[in-house]
Amino acid sequence: MTKTVDILDLTVGGENPVAFILGPCQLESLDHARMMAEKIAAACESAGAKFIFKSSYDKANRSSISTKRGLGMDEGLTILSKIRDEFGVPVLTDVHDAHQCGPVGEAVDVLQIPAFLCRQTDLLLAAGETGRAINVKKGQFLAPWDIGNVADKIASTGNEKIMLCDRGTSFGYNTLVTDFRGLPIMAQTGYPVVFDATHSVQQPGGQGTTSGGQREFAPILARAACAVGVSAVFLETHEDPDNAPSDGPNMIPVDELAGVLTALVRYDALTRELIQ
């Protein structure tokens, strides 16, 4: 059984039902974030699920210099704070540099470490020192047992509110693969494990100046993760993925989200019943 991480009124890990990290890849505007939060909240209510709202103010690791990065930290954090206050849900966003962690930690409930940056010691320490929950994505280049060293860096600050996220492993050019053995291996650290279903079906750089993806497989991989057993599932979603500014090919259409979540909640409940 993993440790638990308390985030506002949501507890991730331990014997708690699967939680969800949901939202559009990139913040677009306050109105768009509100619209997405409303639709996500309705889908979660229908499925009997709790969620953390996720969106990024800066996509600093885009494939090309020509692609949109986002609204920037000041405007983005203002929007995320308003979503938390208006909807009463935790909010999560990425940090890319150690100096961002302080102000981001004052505005959001969960700091996310991008997969490419998961071994950046100064960033991990600065994130841990905020005292906020940390969702750290396992790099596509890491074996699942290597994530323990990453968690140890954060925990050295005295902050053990750590979640470990699998988002697929590099498998040849522009391709990722999910090894579901990695989920229980990561859980051996004692920290809650998150499965990132939408980035696991990403095709990094697969469209030249942007990444491709196969969103039709994201719900399938998410069901498999719940069957193996995870503490949370990460799914990016959008009302019009094909015209989204970032990661459209692997995002779930928000109008399909309720059905996806309902299935995942049922898979999670069955897994917990069978492994007791």
Side-chain angles (χ1 to χ4, degrees), residues 66-86:
S66 65
T67 49
K68 296 179 181 179
R69 287 183 54 166
L71 299 177
M73 188 165 70
D74 291 344
E75 184 177 359
L77 294 182
T78 298
I79 290 172
L80 289 167
S81 295
K82 289 181 177 179
I83 295 299
R84 177 176 59 187
D85 294 342
E86 293 177 17

Side-chain angles (χ1 to χ4, degrees), residues 136 146-156 159 162 164 189 191:
V136 56
D146 292 332
I147 198 68
N149 293 326
V150 175
D152 287 345
K153 291 181 181 181
I154 300 171
S156 73
N159 182 356
I162 301 166
L164 305 176
T189 62
Y191 295 108

Side-chain angles (χ1 to χ4, degrees), residues 198-239:
T198 43
H199 286 102
S200 291
V201 299
Q202 187 186 61
Q203 295 169 319
Q207 295 181 345
T209 59
T210 60
S211 292
Q214 295 176 298
R215 73 171 69 98
E216 67 271 23
F217 294 115
I220 297 171
L221 294 187
R223 293 197 298 268
C226 287
V228 171
V230 290
S231 296
V233 172
F234 179 114
L235 291 164
E236 288 187 334
T237 184
H238 196 275
E239 85 284 0

Side-chain angles (χ1 to χ4, degrees), residues 8 18 26 29 49 62 67 78 91 133 143 154 159 190 195 199 201 203 217 229 250 271 273:
L8 294 185
V18 65
Q26 187 179 129
S29 68
R62 296 304 306 271
T67 49
T78 298
V91 293
I154 300 171
N159 182 356
F195 179 67
H199 286 102
V201 299
Q203 295 169 319
F217 294 115
N250 44 268
T271 298
E273 176 186 340

